[in-house]
Every structure is written in C-alpha cells, then in structure tokens.
Amino acid sequence: MAPMEVERQRGRYAALAIAAVVIVVGVPLWWRTTETYRAWLPGNQISQLAKLELQLSVEVEVVFSRGTLTPEQQNKVPLTQTQHEEQTVDEDTSLRYSYETKYRTATIMEEDALSQPNAAEADLFLHMLSQSTCGSVVVYVIPESSSLMPEGVTVFVGQRRTAILRLGPQMRVGGTLKQVLSHLEPRVKQVLKMMSFSHADITAALSDRVRLSHDSHGNHVDSMRAFKSSPGYEITFSLLNPDPKSHRLHWDIEGAVHNFIQPLLSKLTPIANFSIDSQILYYAVLGVNPRFDSNVKAYTLNADSLAHVINPVEARLGSNAASSNPVLNFLLYVPDAHHSPLHIHGHRKQEVSSNAFHSPRWGGIMVYNVNDHYEPDSEFPVDINIDMAKVMGVFLAQLRLMLGIQSSAPPPGFLVAPVSRVGLADWELDRLMWSRSVENVATATTTITSLAQLLEQIGNIVINDNIAQQVSSAVTSIQLAVAELEAGNLAFALQYSREAILASERAFFDPSLLHLLYFPDDQKFAIYIPLFLPMCVPILLSLLKMASEARQRRKEKQAKKD
C-alpha cells in the first residue's frame, strides 16, 4: 500500500475515533452534568388533593336527668345514633358532617350538680365531675318544671363544653322514646351549630380554595374581618401622645397584658404562637382633624373619616422585619388638651360607647379622653394614670374579632354564660379550632397543587431534595389531618394541619426554585454554540469527507465490474 494511502487510512481512523469518543463519552457526560436536577415528587398523591373531600365528625352526648323520661323509656337507653349530612361546595370540594349522638341517663353525682341554685354553678360542678374531650359536646336535658334556668330560657351554654336544655311543652314525659328523640334532634343541632361549627363557618374557612358567590359574602363578614390562619402573630400595643407638654402619661402595659391578654393567648396556644411588644410614640397625631360639635361641646370623628386615620399613624409604628408573621396593632390615642374630649361617631351619627373602632385584618384604635384631669390651676404637663382595665376590655374584644373568635348573637331562648377572666370559653376554642383546621388543610392543598403545576409547566426549575422532602411532608400531614377530622380527633387534626401549612409554604417559597426560573432557549444557544462549534466543525467535515471517499470508491468498483 502506498504511503499516501496509509496516511489517509490513519486519518480516517483518527476521525472515527474522535467522533466515537465525542458521541459515546462527551455527549452523555455533557448531558448528565448540565441537566436540571429534579427530585421525585409524589405526583399521584398531589393530584388527588385537587379534589378535596372532608368529613367532620363530632361526638355528642345527650344526658337525661330525673323527670325527663318514663321508666319504660329509661330501659331503652343508653343507645347511640349516627347522622350524616353532605354538602357540596363546588365541583372539587365536598363536605360531610357526621354526628355520633350517645344517649344516656344522668348519674347520681350529675343529678346533684343539676340541683344547684342556678345554671352557672351547675356548669361548674359538671365540669369538676368530668372533662369532655376537645371537639365534643355534652347536652344535659332537664324537665320543664326545673328552676335551674330563668323563665323564658330554654338552653344555657356554659364556659365549658356543656349545655343545659330544658324540655319544651311539646316534649313532656309521655309517648315513645323515638318521639322524644325526634323532638330533641332539632334543638340539639341548634346547640351544635353554636358550640361546635356551622356550615357557614366551614365554607368561610375554605375561602382560599373556593370562590364565594356574591350572595354568600354577607354570611362571612366575621371571617373577612379576622386575620388569616398563621403559625404565629405579632401583637403591638402603642400609646400615642400627641402633645407631651399637655400631659405625662403612665400606663402599666406589662401588668395589663399579664392580667387581661396573656390568659387568652395561653389558651390559644394550640392555634398559634404569639409575641407581644409595646411602644410609646410622642407627637403622633391623627391624619384627620376632628370637628368641634357645639351641640355636645366636644370634638368628633365621623365614621367616614376613620379610614384616613390609620395610614399616617401606621408610618410611625415601624415593623418587625425579622418576622413574617402578621402584626395586630392596638393603638391607644390620648388627644391633646386643645382637642379634648374627642368622641367617635358611627354611621348613624351616634356616639360609640367604647370610643374605639377596628380595621379588618389590621387592628384597633381607642381614643382615651383625659379632659376630666385638667383643672383651672393645673400645672402642665399633667400626670395621668391610664385605667388599663377599661382599655384592655376594649382591646380584648377587638383581639377576639381579629383572631376569628366570633361573638354572634345567640338564637332566641339561648342564654350564654358571660366571658370569664380567661376571655375564651372551651367551646369557643373548639369552634375556632374546627375553622382553623379546615382553613389550614384548604390552604396547604392549594399551595401544594399550585407548586406542582408550576414545576410541571417549567422544566428548568431545580427541585432539590429538601424541597421534595417538604412537599412529601406536607402531603403526608394533609392526609393525616383529613383522617383525624374524620375520626373526630380535633386536637390532632389541628396539629397536623399546622404542620402541613408550614411545610407547604417552606417548599413554595424556597429561594432555590428561582435559580433557573427564566432561562430561555436563545440563551442556551448563545452559551453552547461558541463551545461546541469549533470542535464539531472539523469532526463533521472529516466525516463528510470520509463518506464522500467511500461513495467514490464504491463507484470505481462498480465501474470495474461493468
């Protein structure tokens, strides 16, 4: 073979070897090292969350006292009945309510408790006998002739998870047990809607997932006023002194928080974590100039101007940049001597008794007048001690509204025990826990399904192992919360729902998801063409030349044969 042919043969083998190395080793290595890492996500389980089916189970115990059942009827108890009620919210969300009612007769100690002078003392004695589980309701039925409750009161709702129900004229002793229970059923359901949850409460809790109709917005005013569910809240109490030259204010905010606010927050520990701080702002004025009303000889703020009060004051409040939790602001404004007294008027031009107002999902402002402390011979600044019991009574009521503790008017014939020093009844806590559990589950499912759709649509987003772990943890917690709601374990359902919303938000807002969020194809070509073009052109030309020479040799052989 001629030396020239040997050299050509060696060139062909070299070109083939280089091409083989590039194709077999280089391309897979480049593909592997430049591909977007995407950890595995439980796609099937996430797709199942798009259709939410919740079942809420409540344990109800109806206890018949002496004189409510005949001996023949007593022989047929205890017994248990379970009722189901289904509601369809929309095509992807359905609700199922399960009420397991257990009927029994009262024990001797319970009869002694029900013989107390009034219903409040009976409620206390019944609580000392046994403590009901979280989320359950106990209804004690007393005869019509009982003097335990005032005349005209048919149901007494206590501070715990118990209610006392008086038999009506249509439910006097007589007839069959089935007839007695059929008469009791609507009354017991009415008690449950107040002490446990109602369909309107649960629908309002699903507002993040379900779009409410225009007609239903009127039923959810309380939920729109309250803050959305959050793992924690920041509470700030601010004292506004617009004129330190007029008065020197003294407020025992630490003692007031300890005596009035902390008992409520301690009871709300299962719902969220709370942190409290306070501040005094000097020369802080309202954004609206009050008008002097000569009829009442006082300055007034109308309801239409209250919306303009918050913005100028809010700029002075500051914010806690280290926390992402919502902030509840409670402001105590003491007007200066030149604008005192200052009264707030409602939409009907009537003076507001509390002299305070609140802004939905922001907080409340109270005006504290001190004009009575000024005497003709007073020396300025006047030392003034603020009545913190009066102030905290207003702020406590506003705090209940901001946290979603609804204080709606009871049905006719109902008597509700007044709020205790703690500021929250056990059944009010259960009612809030039902709503927050459903709200957390709805929010977590919406967050996880939205994240899954985003990751599916944009393939360049990196899915790290920690994100996959948070998503899996959120899905597992949602499933556990739904299971506990179905089993009636309210405390565990709330705990798992809080874990679900925490894990889902950590996954959704992870900063690593934004690294390759915008990386179009033209940028890829701009990066890779200068790298691969100088290397690929010689290889491609060599391969084309080898293919051309092979065709030429094939033609020459064919010509020789011919």
Side-chain angles (χ1 to χ4, degrees), residues 9-242:
Q9 189 72 13
R10 185 183 297 114
R12 286 194 292 267
Y13 289 154
L16 289 173
I18 293 174
V21 170
V22 170
I23 295 174
V24 177
V25 180
V27 173
L29 182 62
W30 164 75
W31 186 270
R32 180 64 179 173
T33 54
T34 58
E35 70 175 347
T36 302
Y37 180 75
R38 296 172 66 87
W40 177 83
L41 297 178
N44 293 333
Q45 299 179 22
I46 294 175
S47 60
Q48 293 175 0
L49 297 178
K51 190 173 183 61
L52 184 61
E53 298 179 357
L54 285 179
Q55 176 173 327
L56 279 63
S57 302
V58 184
E59 292 184 2
V60 188
E61 195 172 16
V62 179
V63 183
F64 294 97
S65 64
R66 188 185 300 113
T68 55
L69 295 178
T70 63
E72 181 183 356
Q73 293 170 348
Q74 292 180 10
N75 293 332
K76 297 181 180 180
V77 293
L79 60 89
T80 302
Q81 293 182 349
T82 303
Q83 297 180 345
H84 300 284
E85 180 182 346
E86 296 186 1
Q87 298 282 349
T88 301
V89 182
D90 62 8
E91 58 182 5
D92 294 326
T93 308
S94 61
L95 298 171
R96 178 183 174 92
Y97 306 126
S98 176
Y99 305 98
E100 183 179 357
T101 308
K102 299 178 181 179
Y103 299 93
R104 66 174 178 86
T105 56
T107 62
I108 298 177
M109 300 182 69
E110 288 174 334
E111 293 287 358
D112 293 339
L114 293 173
S115 63
Q116 297 300 315
N118 53 64
E121 294 186 19
D123 178 62
L124 177 60
F125 275 86
L126 291 171
H127 175 69
M128 295 172 61
L129 293 177
S130 62
Q131 296 186 2
S132 303
T133 58
C134 182
S136 63
V137 177
V138 182
V139 180
Y140 289 90
V141 182
I142 59 176
E144 182 186 3
S145 59
S146 175
S147 60
L148 192 62
M149 296 185 294
E151 186 178 355
V153 176
T154 57
V155 176
F156 174 81
V157 179
Q159 287 291 325
R160 287 85 191 174
R161 298 179 175 92
T162 57
I164 302 176
L165 187 150
R166 190 203 303 269
L167 280 175
Q170 71 277 13
M171 293 186 287
R172 291 185 179 137
V173 175
T176 63
L177 179 62
K178 184 177 180 180
Q179 293 175 338
V180 174
L181 299 184
S182 63
H183 284 300
L184 276 177
E185 181 180 339
R187 304 285 302 282
V188 173
K189 279 192 174 182
Q190 200 174 18
V191 173
L192 288 177
K193 287 183 178 180
M194 180 175 182
M195 298 184 63
S196 186
F197 59 81
S198 63
H199 179 63
D201 297 336
I202 303 304
T203 305
L206 294 170
S207 58
D208 281 348
R209 179 184 178 91
V210 179
R211 178 172 297 180
L212 303 177
S213 62
H214 179 73
D215 296 336
S216 63
H217 275 291
N219 299 327
H220 306 310
V221 176
D222 290 333
S223 64
M224 296 170 65
R225 180 188 298 114
F227 277 85
K228 303 298 292 183
S229 179
S230 175
Y233 297 93
E234 310 286 337
I235 302 177
T236 301
F237 294 97
S238 303
L239 174 61
L240 276 60
N241 188 352

